[in-house]
Amino acid sequence: MKKAAAAFNTEESRIRKSIMPGGFKKILGGCNMLKQAGNKVYRRFDKELLCIQPWGKNSFRIQATQRYEFIEDDDISALLPAEEVSVKVFERGTDTVIENGKITCEITRTGKLRFLNQEGKLLLEEYERIRGMEEEGRKEFNSALEIVPRTFEPRQSTDNYRLTVRFEPIEGEKLYGMGQYQQPYLDVKGCTLELAHRNSQASIPFVLSSNGYGFLWNNPAIGSVTFGKNVTQWTAQSTKQMDYWITAGDTPAEIEEAYAEATGKVPMMPEYGMGFWQCKLRYMTQEEILEVAREYHRRKLPVDVIVVDFFHWPHEGDWKFDLDYWPDPEKMVRELKEMGMHLMVSIWPTVDGESENYQEMEELGYLTRSEHGKRLGQLGNAAIIDVTNPDGREYVWSKIRKNYYEKGIHIFWLDEAEPEFTGYEFSHYRYFRGADMEVGNIYPREYARMAYEGMEKEGQKNILNLLRCAWAGSQRYGTLVWTGDIDSSFRSLRNQLAAGLNMGISGIPWWTTDIGGFHGGNIHDPKFHELLVRWFEFGAFCPVMRLHGFREPFKAPLGTTGGGKHNSGAENEVWSYGEEVYKICEKYIHLRERMRPYVRQIMEEAHEKGTPPMRPLFYDFPEDKKAWEIEDEYMFGPDLLVAPVLYEDQRERTLYLPEGLWRNINDGEEYQGGREITVDAPLDQLPVFAKAGKQTEL
């Protein structure tokens, strides 16, 4: 015991000198296990070092490791530095209690943590099943299972561990967030989720609980979480320490705003992000995209952004136009601007072996490595850029700046952001910052950071770029996420509604989908026409309204070299689907334009407070128990309730209206809320209800 105490005292001295002003104070009756340093509480028992510290108002950051010391935060953590706050630390029986505003953390004699709100309500409790739990004044549950809350399993011959952290389930609890998964569930309670990115899957490990707390798993390692009926279990496959953040709030909005303060807020959305975006896979030539833009202009249909998709370059990793098909980019940009359109171009993180930049990037160490054997990319002989390397980010941005930015292109589509390896064999890849298994989930955030910091250095404000993936904190780098290469089906549409709502709760306010889906959709098929219309109506009430897809029948390549080697999808303009579809799309493009002042208002709220523009009903009506049950409606800002049509051949919609007076924007009829109603939903009408006296121009 004397040796252990001496070792801990040495550690105290080291920590005091390196990270904390002032000295340590023993707490818990002089017990050597628990020490206080400033507003931090440390617990050392055997191999584990635990730290509890306030991280913003009403919030704690919890860290634990079996290493000698904690690793530096540097760029891996999702959390921003937090303002210093005062806490109260005292003893209650055999527990040590730390109070920070509306949240309290209790540390039991065995090291288990409980979190309570200001009224003493239990919010969350670690899961523990061990013997010998009789304590003076309290009888704890005894178990022969010998399961502790935090398990560190050493990964042989490394400094890392397989980490498992367990929490008690809460009966009746609902959980929201976690990013986007291709499933129709808004409430993720009962789900097992992979903590890893894939094409159409963005893992953002934040949950908002109906029990009054928000929880961030602040660890970018590949892993999983199970929100089970019997246990909640978080796992990191390879990591050096446990790190999570928890906050308490009286309302979902208060919790969400605290999370935004902790991880960052989006910039103010630029004006060109608020209207209609035109896109397809893929415009093959400069003249083709200009003719599309001219036709929109002739029809007096407002388009904010039009997009040049992938393989407009000679080789992956050249990051420049193939002049055989795009002979004068500056002229193209000028003409589009004259028509009121901004040009966005696709950027891929892949570098083909034939690229003019491959050899230099390989020599400089700017490419993602493999644990064994040859590098594997996405297409052909391609490698993936290593955006965790700051020098690599600067190198790639220098190419983008020269070949796009200086030509007047100031908005980018950062595709393949997971990144999309040939196979998702996470144990096979290694970055500058460490193995994919340990840090892989930061890739999309650092990819966004690459462009954001480059554009910021150029003096650009209100930066927005489109990405296929994100992690916690991506929003502060101007990330607009879309849902990836999804199926063109009503089943897929239902998945996107849940994805969009959970992304907003996960701290990513800017979100969109491929209207109509990506894979499939024959432009001559009446069934696809119905899907496209219903998706288009839904898209008008998403944070960004963007038409995209790989439509059928496909078009043959134009040539055998450079960007000409690749095929294209069929036409994907609003007039491509016949007159009936066109009239409906025209109607909703103009409706979106009339909503621009309102969209601007809700984007200001996202920028200032982290408020998701698109959110579940309970966000605005937390006292309404029914609102917590609704998964197929949502609020678009504070004034509009949207009930998308999500099934084929559906021509009426049953929906729930919270308390208050609501006006159907389609016919002007008013309804008293607090009940379910059924309304007509012909093909050209999306059921949308405005609060009485609000948005009367719609």
Side-chain angles (χ1 to χ4, degrees):
M1 288 297 292
K2 288 183 179 179
K3 288 183 179 179
F8 190 43
N9 288 335
T10 301
E11 185 171 66
E12 286 180 341
S13 178
R14 182 197 59 76
I15 296 175
R16 181 174 63 246
K17 291 178 181 178
S18 62
I19 63 173
M20 289 300 302
F24 276 74
K25 179 175 77 174
K26 292 183 180 180
I27 54 179
L28 197 58
C31 173
N32 281 318
M33 286 190 299
L34 286 162
K35 305 288 173 68
Q36 182 180 352
N39 61 4
K40 298 182 181 180
V41 172
Y42 292 89
R43 181 182 188 270
R44 166 67 83 184
F45 181 79
D46 194 18
K47 295 174 291 187
E48 185 188 80
L49 177 63
L50 174 71
C51 178
I52 301 103
Q53 61 182 310
W55 203 271
K57 295 188 297 182
N58 312 318
S59 309
F60 286 114
R61 183 180 187 180
I62 314 296
Q63 294 173 286
T65 187
Q66 291 195 352
R67 303 174 72 250
Y68 179 69
E69 60 185 348
F70 295 110
I71 62 172
E72 299 276 340
D73 275 346
D74 51 49
D75 293 334
I76 293 178
S77 171
L79 296 170
L80 297 171
E83 291 184 12
E84 192 83 6
V85 295
S86 298
V87 297
K88 296 179 181 177
V89 182
F90 56 92
E91 298 170 29
R92 182 187 292 152
T94 57
D95 294 344
T96 296
V97 181
I98 313 168
E99 289 186 353
N100 178 17
K102 295 181 178 182
I103 193 168
T104 294
C105 178
E106 294 180 347
I107 314 170
T108 71
R109 176 179 60 83
T110 61
K112 183 179 78 170
L113 305 181
R114 297 189 188 95
F115 301 95
L116 304 94
N117 69 7
Q118 71 273 26
E119 298 171 352
K121 173 187 173 182
L122 180 64
L123 300 175
L124 187 65
E125 176 181 17
E126 289 187 325
Y127 180 102
E128 184 178 59
R129 299 291 186 270
I130 61 176
R131 295 180 188 264
M133 294 303 294
E134 296 86 356
E135 297 181 359
E136 186 178 347
R138 183 165 72 186
K139 176 70 165 65
E140 292 277 340
F141 183 74
N142 275 275
S143 174
L145 295 173
E146 297 297 315
I147 299 173
V148 296
R150 306 174 293 274
T151 303
F152 292 83
E153 302 174 53
R155 294 184 67 88
Q156 190 173 1
S157 302
T158 76
D159 200 23
N160 285 21
Y161 300 86
R162 184 182 188 274
L163 169 67
T164 303
V165 182
R166 305 171 183 88
F167 296 94
E168 297 281 358
I170 299 170
E171 188 174 356
E173 181 182 35
K174 297 179 179 297
L175 296 170
Y176 307 90
M178 291 302 300
Q180 64 181 20
Y181 292 82
Q182 294 306 312
Q183 57 186 37
Y185 311 116
L186 179 58
D187 177 10
V188 297
K189 182 69 175 181
C191 294
T192 294
L193 302 174
E194 180 186 43
L195 301 180
H197 306 311
R198 298 172 182 261
N199 185 338
S200 78
Q201 175 175 298
S203 174
I204 304 174
F206 174 79
V207 288
L208 186 152
S209 167
S210 61
N211 204 41
Y213 68 89
F215 180 98
L216 171 69
W217 179 251
N218 188 31
N219 191 317
I222 305 300
S224 65
V225 60
T226 295
F227 299 112
K229 186 177 181 179
N230 60 332
V231 67
T232 292
Q233 184 166 291
W234 297 82
T235 300
Q237 291 295 339
S238 182
T239 190
K240 292 181 174 62
Q241 65 190 33
M242 180 193 79
D243 194 341
Y244 64 82
W245 177 88
I246 184 169
T247 191
D250 298 330
T251 65
E254 185 178 0
I255 293 167
E256 197 69 24
E257 289 166 18
Y259 176 53
E261 285 291 337
T263 60
K265 301 167 189 170
V266 289
M268 177 60 196
M269 177 168 279
E271 196 66 27
Y272 55 76
M274 302 180 196
F276 174 63
W277 294 28
Q278 172 61 42
C279 185
K280 63 164 282 187
L281 190 161
R282 62 187 183 91
Y283 297 118
M284 294 192 283
T285 68
Q286 178 173 321
E287 186 58 28
E288 181 186 8
I289 196 172
L290 284 173
E291 187 50 44
V292 166
R294 293 164 190 153
E295 184 62 23
Y296 271 103
H297 193 63
R298 283 193 288 268
R299 293 172 181 257
K300 295 182 170 54
L301 293 175
V303 176
D304 276 13
V305 176
I306 194 165
V307 185
V308 175
D309 201 349
F310 67 175
F311 292 104
H312 63 267
W313 46 71
H315 301 97
E316 296 172 69
D318 286 347
W319 299 299
K320 66 181 184 182
F321 286 100
D322 185 336
L323 297 180
D324 288 342
Y325 304 97
W326 307 86
D328 195 342
E330 292 98 330
K331 180 178 179 293
M332 175 175 56
V333 170
R334 286 196 303 271
E335 184 174 347
L336 290 171
K337 283 187 176 180
E338 289 169 0
M339 293 184 283
M341 303 179 196
H342 289 74
L343 181 64
M344 180 171 73
V345 298
S346 173
I347 303 291
W348 274 28
T350 51
V351 189
D352 190 273
E354 298 299 313
S355 168
E356 62 187 20
N357 299 313
Y358 185 94
Q359 183 176 348
E360 184 178 23
M361 294 189 73
E362 183 182 40
E363 292 172 356
L364 293 170
Y366 295 163
L367 301 175
T368 296
R369 294 169 285 156
S370 59
E371 293 289 76
H372 307 284
K374 185 178 180 294
R375 290 184 171 92
L376 295 175
Q378 207 269 349
L379 291 173
N381 184 30
I384 305 290
I385 63 175
D386 187 350
V387 294
T388 75
N389 185 331
D391 293 335
R393 292 197 300 268
E394 177 62 32
Y395 178 94
V396 175
W397 171 251
S398 71
K399 304 296 181 181
I400 296 170
R401 181 182 65 244
K402 176 184 177 183
N403 296 320
Y404 297 118
Y405 199 90
E406 292 177 0
K407 298 182 188 304
I409 300 165
H410 297 164
I411 176 172
F412 299 102
W413 179 357
L414 304 177
D415 207 345
E416 301 283 314
E418 305 79 22
E420 188 175 12
F421 292 110
T422 301
Y424 293 105
E425 303 292 341
F426 302 110
S427 62
H428 186 66
Y429 303 103
R430 180 171 291 272
Y431 301 111
F432 173 81
R433 295 305 309 273
D436 194 11
M437 292 289 287
E438 182 177 5
V439 303
N441 285 332
I442 66 170
Y443 191 98
R445 191 190 69 191
E446 299 303 282
Y447 190 24
R449 181 182 180 183
M450 175 191 75
Y452 182 90
E453 291 183 342
M455 296 160 80
E456 192 175 46
K457 286 179 182 176
E458 297 298 319
Q460 189 170 338
K461 307 293 184 183
N462 301 335
I463 295 166
L464 176 154
N465 291 308
L466 181 67
L467 285 93
R468 202 170 66 187
C469 198
W471 195 64
S474 285
Q475 68 277 4
R476 61 184 185 251
Y477 298 120
T479 294
L480 163 64
V481 177
W482 97 98
T483 47
D485 297 348
I486 53 176
D487 188 52
S488 293
S489 64
F490 276 97
R491 175 182 175 179
S492 179
L493 175 57
R494 294 191 289 275
N495 290 345
Q496 306 327 303
L497 175 58
L501 293 173
N502 275 326
M503 281 293 279
I505 295 297
S506 302
I508 308 295
W510 296 352
W511 176 88
T512 186
T513 69
D514 293 351
I515 290 177
F518 179 78
H519 288 295
N522 191 300
I523 66 172
H524 306 299
D525 183 0
K527 288 187 176 296
F528 179 67
H529 293 175
E530 180 184 8
L531 174 68
L532 181 80
V533 164
R534 292 307 196 189
W535 212 313
F536 203 92
E537 294 167 347
F538 166 63
F541 294 89
C542 287
V544 167
M545 183 185 187
R546 172 178 160 272
L547 179 62
H548 184 60
F550 192 15
R551 302 288 175 250
E552 299 172 359
F554 301 146
K555 293 183 176 181
L558 296 178
T560 58
T561 61
K565 292 186 295 185
H566 300 275
N567 67 346
S568 173
E571 289 78 8
N572 191 45
E573 294 72 49
V574 294
W575 55 82
S576 307
Y577 301 93
E579 190 63 20
E580 182 184 19
V581 173
Y582 173 73
K583 289 296 184 183
I584 299 170
C585 292
E586 179 186 40
K587 169 185 171 181
Y588 279 89
I589 289 174
H590 287 300
L591 176 61
R592 177 73 178 206
E593 196 63 23
R594 292 198 301 276
M595 284 199 295
R596 186 179 288 270
Y598 180 65
V599 173
R600 190 182 301 118
Q601 173 194 325
I602 61 181
M603 290 304 174
E604 287 173 353
E605 292 174 352
H607 169 56
E608 294 168 0
K609 299 191 296 181
T611 308
M614 174 184 181
R615 61 260 198 170
L617 296 193
F618 66 74
Y619 196 95
D620 293 86
F621 304 94
E623 302 302 320
D624 187 336
K625 292 182 180 179
K626 181 69 173 178
W628 292 86
E629 304 289 336
I630 302 297
E631 298 204 346
D632 59 355
E633 306 169 29
Y634 64 96
M635 296 298 295
F636 187 58
D639 298 342
L640 297 176
L641 184 151
V642 184
V645 178
L646 302 172
Y647 293 88
E648 188 176 9
D649 298 325
Q650 187 176 5
R651 295 297 183 267
E652 64 177 23
R653 182 70 160 79
T654 299
L655 56 100
Y656 175 75
L657 294 175
E659 288 288 346
L661 190 62
W662 299 86
R663 174 180 56 85
N664 187 333
I665 72 165
N666 294 298
D667 59 15
E669 188 171 348
E670 292 190 342
Y671 297 82
Q672 189 62 49
R675 62 191 178 103
E676 282 191 350
I677 64 169
T678 299
V679 297
D680 290 336
L683 187 60
D684 66 341
Q685 289 185 16
L686 176 73
V688 178
F689 293 79
K691 289 181 179 178
K694 302 290 188 178
Q695 307 308 316
T696 55
E697 71 279 7
L698 300 184

